[in-house]
Amino acid sequence: MLDIKEIRNDPERVKKGMAKRNKNIDIDAVLQADDLRRSLISNTDAMKSEQNQSSKQIPALKKEGKQEEAQALLARMKDLSDEIKANDAKLREAEEALREMLLAIPNVPHESVPAGKDDTENEEKRKVGTPRTFEFAPQAHWDIGAKLGVLDPERAAKVTGARFHFYKGLGARLERAVINFFLNTHTANGYTEILPPFLVNRASMTGTGQLPKFEDDAFHINKEDLFLIPTAEVPVTNFHRDEILDGAQLPIKYCAYSACFREEAGSAGRDTRGLIRQHQFNKVELVKFVRPEDSYAELEKLTSDAERVLQALGLPYRVVTLCAGDLGFSSAKTYDIEVWMPSYNRYVEISSCSNFEDYQARRASIRFKDGARDKTRFVHTLNGSGVAIGRTVAAILENYQNEDGSVTVPDVLRGFMGVDVIPMPVK
């Protein structure tokens, strides 16, 4: 969340940030809630000060034989005690109201984030690779998967429901190969591998910004008040929740495989076929904890690390800077990496790499300290998909398809796959 002190000291910066996002957030109402909270704190402090003074005066008055004055002060102390209790109750309500308001405010976009209303106004940063020119009519990955017998959404719909998939045979092996290749690549590049739990509590979802705003997009287990994770960002970022890190160890870099679960409540009718938009999918995530002064340089490195696996796979892609109107709730700046999909005849998002600055760290209380006499500061957190597995499999099927219906396995995956080609089944 944003720091209430920063909102108080520079409300115009926050207002401009919300306007840039095209969000109607009443910052004046937040400041009024803060004024009420501070007034209640001041009143309580004043009453406690009076109470302390009175408690010191009463023994002296009794010693001097001034019993009536002592009794009057005792009565006043009882009244003060009742008033303090009532004020404390109001203060708890005011603090909770202010916290709820702060939790609903998105992050302020970094000054380098372009203005814009939606994804049509994102800015292309670079393209890598050239989309393949086919000498035959290319097929969509869902058709390729069905003909090869490696994807089966129909049986998954029978077993579970829409937007789920069975992977079969070499399809399942391809998914597993991509996961292993990604993890091996990132760990070789200095990331520590973590295998996180796929269920998290409400505090963890709140810490990374999924709650309260996106609760409708999450799979919730009511009995335990636990959530299936929408991304490994949630458990891995919360790995250091409520901790003070050693500044000498920063940056800390983690990579994690997880299954991801999303209701996709607001995406009815979008990408309903294939692997692009599923309720359950696999992903390898990259998470960093860094010094505030280094976070934007670390964002560039993080994006480069995510690109590394696409380059090794030989998949054409581009990097775009998200405009303020398309920026995620918790992010101060995001690069999307989009892979070329022949069936769409366009680039499709396969990774988002974001700098949250201290927004998540403040919600999750993740701080660092250089030495015993140094001030404790909030870290900056970053994360990026390194990258989405299902979308990578879809991109491989489409970009490496052959005229006879088979799919060539990218060179870097052949050691994991044990084959060079996924062949058409023999009839």
Side-chain angles (χ1 to χ4, degrees):
M1 68 180 77
L2 300 180
D3 184 357
I4 185 59
K5 292 179 182 178
E6 293 184 7
I7 298 175
R8 191 189 307 139
N9 293 336
D10 193 359
E12 290 308 311
R13 172 180 174 270
V14 180
K15 290 177 181 179
K16 288 178 182 178
M18 297 306 106
K20 192 174 184 180
R21 278 182 174 269
N22 306 306
K23 298 295 183 184
N24 184 20
I25 306 291
D26 192 347
I27 300 301
D28 289 332
V30 176
L31 292 172
Q32 289 171 7
D34 180 47
D35 286 341
L36 173 61
R37 180 186 66 89
R38 295 171 73 195
S39 174
L40 289 168
I41 291 172
S42 179
N43 290 343
T44 298
D45 289 345
M47 286 187 285
K48 287 181 178 179
S49 177
E50 182 183 348
Q51 196 177 48
N52 289 336
Q53 289 297 322
S54 297
S55 66
K56 293 176 182 178
Q57 292 173 359
I58 289 170
L61 290 171
K62 287 182 176 180
K63 189 174 181 179
E64 295 171 9
K66 299 178 180 179
Q67 298 300 325
E68 290 185 8
E69 292 183 34
Q71 289 300 318
L73 276 181
L74 280 170
R76 173 57 181 157
M77 285 184 67
K78 184 180 181 304
D79 290 341
L80 279 173
S81 180
D82 292 340
E83 289 175 25
I84 289 170
K85 287 179 182 178
N87 211 69
D88 282 344
K90 292 179 182 178
L91 178 58
R92 285 192 295 272
E93 291 178 5
E95 287 178 335
E96 183 59 27
L98 178 60
R99 176 175 168 77
E100 289 300 315
M101 295 174 81
L102 290 173
L103 288 173
I105 302 173
N107 206 349
V108 175
H110 188 260
E111 59 186 12
S112 65
V113 171
K117 63 181 184 300
D118 55 33
D119 60 1
T120 63
E121 298 187 67
N122 293 340
E123 294 184 357
E124 185 175 284
K125 185 176 176 70
R126 58 180 170 271
K127 281 182 179 176
V128 177
T130 303
R132 176 182 169 189
T133 300
F134 291 89
E135 297 178 355
F136 57 92
Q139 302 177 75
H141 67 274
W142 52 86
D143 291 327
I144 298 169
K147 290 174 182 178
L148 290 175
V150 298
L151 296 177
D152 194 337
E154 289 78 15
R155 285 191 173 93
K158 175 183 68 174
V159 171
T160 307
R163 297 197 182 188
F164 291 88
H165 263 77
F166 274 113
Y167 289 77
K168 291 169 52 185
L170 290 176
R173 195 187 302 179
L174 177 59
E175 181 95 352
R176 179 159 50 91
V178 172
I179 293 169
N180 287 333
F181 169 64
F182 285 178
L183 288 173
N184 287 356
T185 300
H186 296 313
T187 53
N189 196 35
Y191 289 80
T192 298
E193 183 177 349
I194 286 182
L195 182 59
F198 295 175
L199 286 166
V200 294
N201 56 31
R202 186 171 290 273
S204 295
M205 290 284 280
T206 302
T208 47
Q210 276 73 27
L211 296 185
K213 183 174 176 60
F214 301 108
E215 188 156 355
D216 288 344
D217 285 324
F219 283 102
H220 183 217
I221 300 173
N222 290 314
K223 182 180 178 181
E224 304 294 340
D225 196 24
L226 295 175
F227 296 83
L228 287 165
I229 61 171
T231 164
E233 168 198 346
V234 179
V236 177
T237 302
N238 280 277
F239 186 78
H240 289 301
R241 177 157 50 91
D242 297 323
E243 293 183 14
I244 298 176
L245 307 176
D246 180 359
Q249 296 185 359
L250 299 179
I252 296 172
K253 305 194 303 182
Y254 295 124
C255 65
Y257 155 76
S258 78
C260 305
F261 305 87
R262 297 184 188 178
E263 281 270 20
E264 297 284 6
S267 62
R270 296 176 60 195
D271 301 318
T272 55
R273 301 188 71 184
L275 300 172
I276 299 302
R277 196 174 295 275
Q278 296 281 285
H279 289 309
Q280 176 186 325
F281 57 95
N282 293 315
K283 188 150 65 81
V284 169
E285 196 76 7
L286 306 175
V287 175
K288 287 185 175 185
F289 302 85
V290 308
R291 293 175 175 276
E293 58 269 25
D294 298 335
S295 66
Y296 280 94
E298 291 290 348
L299 176 61
E300 300 299 327
K301 293 178 183 177
L302 178 74
T303 307
S304 177
D305 291 339
E307 292 177 69
R308 187 187 306 267
V309 295
L310 297 179
Q311 293 167 5
L313 288 168
L315 293 171
Y317 68 90
R318 70 172 187 166
V319 178
V320 298
T321 305
L322 298 195
C323 71
D326 196 31
L327 200 61
F329 181 82
S330 301
S331 177
K333 184 173 184 178
T334 296
Y335 295 124
D336 268 7
I337 303 173
E338 301 176 344
V339 70
W340 178 256
M341 296 292 291
S343 70
Y344 287 70
N345 195 36
R346 62 177 173 84
Y347 293 94
V348 174
E349 179 203 335
I350 199 167
S351 172
S352 286
C353 297
S354 300
N355 184 359
F356 303 105
E357 297 185 354
D358 65 2
Y359 189 88
Q360 291 181 331
R362 193 174 296 280
R363 293 167 81 108
S365 189
I366 308 171
R367 295 166 292 166
F368 76 99
K369 196 171 187 178
D370 288 313
R373 297 185 178 182
D374 292 309
K375 184 180 178 181
T376 300
R377 295 191 286 161
F378 286 104
V379 298
H380 280 195
T381 62
L382 299 89
N383 89 273
S385 304
V387 293
I389 308 301
R391 295 189 179 196
T392 302
V393 168
I396 289 170
L397 293 178
E398 292 199 9
N399 284 279
Y400 281 92
Q401 63 182 294
N402 301 312
E403 190 170 7
D404 65 357
S406 66
V407 173
T408 300
V409 175
D411 290 345
V412 294
L413 298 182
R414 292 179 184 179
F416 298 99
M417 290 288 292
V419 296
D420 295 349
V421 175
I422 302 174
M424 285 291 289
V426 178
K427 295 182 180 180

